[in-house]
Amino acid sequence: MDIDKANRTAVERMTSARPMLTGIARARDVIPGLHDDLLLHAGPPIAWERASGPLRGAVIGALLFEGRARSEAEAVALVERGEVRLEPCHHHAAVGPMAGVISSSMRVYVVEDAVHGHRTFSNLNEGYGKVLRYGAFSDEVLAKLRWMNDVLASVLAEALALAGGIDLRALLAEALHMGDEGHNRNKAGSLLFLKLLAPHIAHGKSGADAQSEVLKFLGDNPLSVLNPVMAACKAMADATHGVEGSTIVSTMARNGTDFGIRVSGLGDRWFTAPAQVPDGLYFPGFTAADANPDIGDSTITETAGIGAFAMAAAPAIVTFIGGTPQDAVHATLEMYEITAAEHSQFTIPALGFRGTPVGIDLRKVVELGITPRVNTGIAHRQAGVGQVGAGLVRPPMEIFEAALVAFAERYLE
Amino acid sequence: MSADSTVRVAVRLGAYYDSVVLMQLQRALSTLPGVLDAGVVMATPANREILAASGLTPSEEINAGPHDLLIAVKAESDSAAGEALARVDSLLQVRRGGGEQEFRPRSLASALKLLPEARWVLVSVPGRYAAGVADEALDHGRNVFLYSDNVPIEQEVALKRKALAKGLLVMGPDCGTAIVGGTGLGFANRVRRGNIGLIGASGTGLQAVTSHLHQLGAGISQAIGTGGRDLSAEVGGITAGQALDLLGRDPETRVIVLISKPPAPEVAAHLLSAARATGKPVVVNFLGLVPPLRRLGSIRFAASLTEAAELAAGLPRPRALTPVPSPAHSHPPPRERGTRLERSCWSPSSPGEGGGEGAGEEGRGDEGLGWGRSEAKVAPMAGFVRGLFAGGTLAYEARLALRTFLPGEGNTILDLGDDEFTVGRLHPMIDQDLRLRRLRQEAADPQVGVILLDVVLGHGAHADPAGELAPVIERIIADRGGSLDVIAIVVGTDEDPQNLAEQIATLRRAGAHVHRTVSEAVEAVWPRVGAGLDGREGARPALAVSLDALQSPLAAVNLGLESFYDSLLAQGARAVQVEWKPPAGGNEKLAGILARMKTL
């Protein structure tokens, strides 16, 4: 067995993937295995009893949104009785930021890898404030979700059809040259997204009011492209998954309680340990005591070689990690230590257009004692309060160690 | 808002800051004396609500819009709030100075990406990890300075064999010092740059000689450490051999000094071959070993480190130190001819004739220095050396010299005066019958290339030993068609009854080379037979170490002792320090898995 060769194959599959945003559809129509009694969530599998505040809130909100429950209590009872089950987005080719809850009638982005044929999915981004992904489920939150499902989704679907899809890899490559790292900073990418869609939105048939509302919503939300980007990264990660003998990490995800990884050569097994509280800066009035442990599927960006791995591309947000552009460069340099390759598509001007570090190699993580960096938003630990800050987090080392031991059991015994 | 606190606000109209800058400012304000809480936001309605919810509502009216920066400070007193607000602009300007520190990679691979020009990797990590790190460096095609000790000898052998096969150098383990291209590695003295290249096993030995050379006004081109076990039979002098070859090709190096503890005999022969193959003058000091010879071709033997330094320092100006003996005729050498008369050779065809030291010797880049007698005129031939001696002490001396410089089963010295040969027979100094028969017998063996004889004159000895030997010598040389050399050591004076001059002339006419002492004879033999050694495996590395290894200015990656890194930078070298940690944080089980994965 040649691990290096397997890893080269795995990484080549990741970097050659070409995710195209092709459309928007109702979740149960496109997401494999999704049905009305199933909710998808971020991170590794989790039992309701262990679910954190934001995830619980989002589950409740989704059941209210779907009309399955009329109150919080009814929603909780549905889940507790097992009438509605929870499964990771990752088990259904999907990803969602923060709580990452996707229910059957929600509209989702459909991304197709033009090279390997995978289809991946992500929900629509709600913007900042009181939002479902942070566990908020007030009427105001649900009203916004309905508007997104009805107006936003149909305007975007029409525009995407007219546009003939959007090449998300090209968009990301450009955004990295405009100060984004693709996880915590998606300002440039979101504006590029808006720029690409706007002419087609204008040609749509939804009427000027709806079109204007959608354009403003997209323009006001510096995260509007995050969810398509995550689905794109999921497509890249799925391409890398399942290479026999490969030690490349193909999934990193958190559910607000546990941080989990999966490895290309180790099938669908999750390696999990309690998620940490991110180290970061807090919005006015909040402190680390308010923070929920790390949550969300957005670590798929780091898995695919952007996000914190491309920190050197995003000097505007360096204060999250210490304060100077030099720190940002160091952050990316550190990630080269644990990755198998430099990205052929995503480059960093500040590093002389060196490719981003890509393909986390389990062996290097354990050998060097360096866990992947993750840039992340910080959720309030109570449902519905929302984002309280942003910062840096690292997965617990023991999940990489456990995966290495499992690799040895599978391949070396 | 409680009674014992106050909220003050400040507004920066039209000032845009990234939200993280604002959060940082907010955190900085919160830590100021007397400050209870702070909020820094763009003054959007939503943000103002958040401030209000946090009790950061000011008493006064705020005139600020969504594009303005709003700073609110809740403090114990009005003055504390005011002082905090006065710091806002300076806090916004703060740049952390510590962020400018160089990136410290954690792996060798990353370090080499940061400094791809680095030809050297310095390893001073704990011994049990050192070989692994050195091995990785070799995999990356880098030369290794291995300071770490407690590296098992099997690992040293494996590393050095790998390095040899790859044309790389491993200095060490337990190599304390080296000078490469003028840059000291590990512990090294500040010494003048020059043209003397050193190879030494022990760190302090090299430091002693380089320092002494400096004091003598000489300068150092390179100093290569080999580690204390390099010259053992197990390691076989791999590094020393490579280093000799490298210094032989180094244009900066004109004289080579090799110092070490006494090597294993087979290693000594290998090293002397390698030294000879450099084509440069080499000063050798095997500590504690009394050299049986003073010089061997271009190799000179020193009895101590001090003498080694002094010899090397003097070599660039050899004419001043070694007066040129008269060429062409030499017996008996006129005493007034200078201090090195004993060096002259008695045979017209022997080395050193025709120009003497230093002059007119071709084919040697550094012969202009006047070092040594040219070996170029001696036709090298392979073959064993056989000695047929009448004198016991002379035989012993010859045996000693051969054992050190020409070890091997095929090289033998017979003392025909020994009891086992003289049973029922006169001593060979009187009766040469046995010796004549052995002479024919040895000459008949085509593997024999050189026959050594002693011819001892004086009262009581045979009246004309040369006259008896000459016809046989002439015959065997003729029979062998020139593939055999006969070398005679004639011991006697011009007052001896046999007539020294005639004895020599007789031998010479028969085709023998004539020398006065055993060591001169061995010196004469060595280039002939030693040429055979040059072809032996390992005498010259199959893949030479690239001269890139001696790059100047040096570029290197350092793993381990930070002082080595600091020292490199202080010397103007380029260096990257690896923030090395034991694999898997020292977890043996995980490290074991990682090691197994590497060998798949």
Side-chain angles (χ1 to χ4, degrees), chain B residues 391-405:
Chain B
T393 302
L394 295 181
Y396 189 86
E397 189 189 8
R399 212 175 274 148
L400 196 65
L402 283 189
R403 191 168 64 205
T404 307
F405 303 117

Side-chain angles (χ1 to χ4, degrees), chain B residues 6 16 102 124 133 162 169 171 193 200 203-204 223 273 357 367 376 412 500 520 548-549 594:
Chain B
T6 180
Y16 170 78
E102 280 301 303
S124 52
V133 175
K162 181 169 181 168
L169 211 54
M171 295 196 201
R193 287 281 272 153
T204 48
S273 295
E357 300 195 36
E367 290 300 328
T412 52
L500 176 63
E520 284 176 19
D548 287 357
L594 289 166

Side-chain angles (χ1 to χ4, degrees), chain A residues 319-320 322 326 330 337 367-368, chain B residues 20 96 99 101 106-107 110 584:
Chain A
T319 35
F320 281 128
Q326 186 76 3
H330 288 185
E337 303 274 9
E367 174 159 7
L368 299 176
Chain B
V20 287
R96 278 164 30 106
Q101 202 191 3
R106 287 275 284 279
S107 65
S110 293

Side-chain angles (χ1 to χ4, degrees), chain A residues 26-210:
Chain A
R26 189 165 55 179
R28 67 166 169 267
D29 296 341
V30 288
I31 294 182
L34 182 61
H35 51 80
D36 290 349
D37 295 326
L38 179 64
L39 293 181
L40 305 184
H41 65 82
I46 184 148
W48 173 252
E49 300 73 48
R50 293 186 66 236
S52 67
L55 178 53
R56 283 170 170 254
V59 166
I60 293 162
L63 292 171
L64 294 173
F65 172 77
E66 292 288 342
R68 295 295 302 274
R70 280 165 300 173
S71 68
E72 179 180 350
E74 275 184 35
V76 170
L78 271 178
V79 181
E80 283 179 346
R81 289 199 303 270
E83 288 177 34
V84 169
R85 292 166 45 78
L86 304 176
E87 285 181 13
C89 289
H90 271 291
H91 292 186
H92 298 270
V95 278
M98 289 294 149
V101 169
I102 299 174
S103 61
S104 65
S105 64
M106 283 183 187
R107 298 306 191 269
V108 291
Y109 287 111
V110 179
V111 169
E112 295 187 30
D113 176 357
V115 175
H116 305 100
H118 295 99
R119 288 223 296 179
T120 55
F121 312 92
S122 184
N123 49 3
L124 307 184
N125 193 284
E126 307 159 80
Y128 285 113
K130 286 195 163 38
V131 288
L132 186 78
R133 68 175 187 279
Y134 283 97
F137 53 83
S138 64
D139 291 346
E140 172 193 353
V141 171
L142 300 176
K144 190 195 229 175
L145 280 177
R146 292 198 181 93
W147 175 82
M148 288 167 60
N149 237 33
D150 299 338
V151 179
L152 176 65
S154 53
V155 169
L156 286 177
E158 196 177 24
L160 279 170
L162 287 170
I166 288 177
D167 185 335
L168 287 170
R169 191 178 74 180
L171 180 148
L172 261 174
E174 191 175 356
L176 289 180
H177 289 190
M178 298 167 72
D180 280 1
E181 39 71 279
H183 185 171
N184 264 20
R185 191 178 200 272
N186 277 294
K187 278 186 179 173
S190 294
L191 290 172
L192 290 172
F193 188 52
L194 175 63
K195 179 209 80 169
L196 290 166
L197 287 172
H200 305 290
I201 290 175
H203 270 148
K205 297 183 174 55
S206 309
D209 285 350

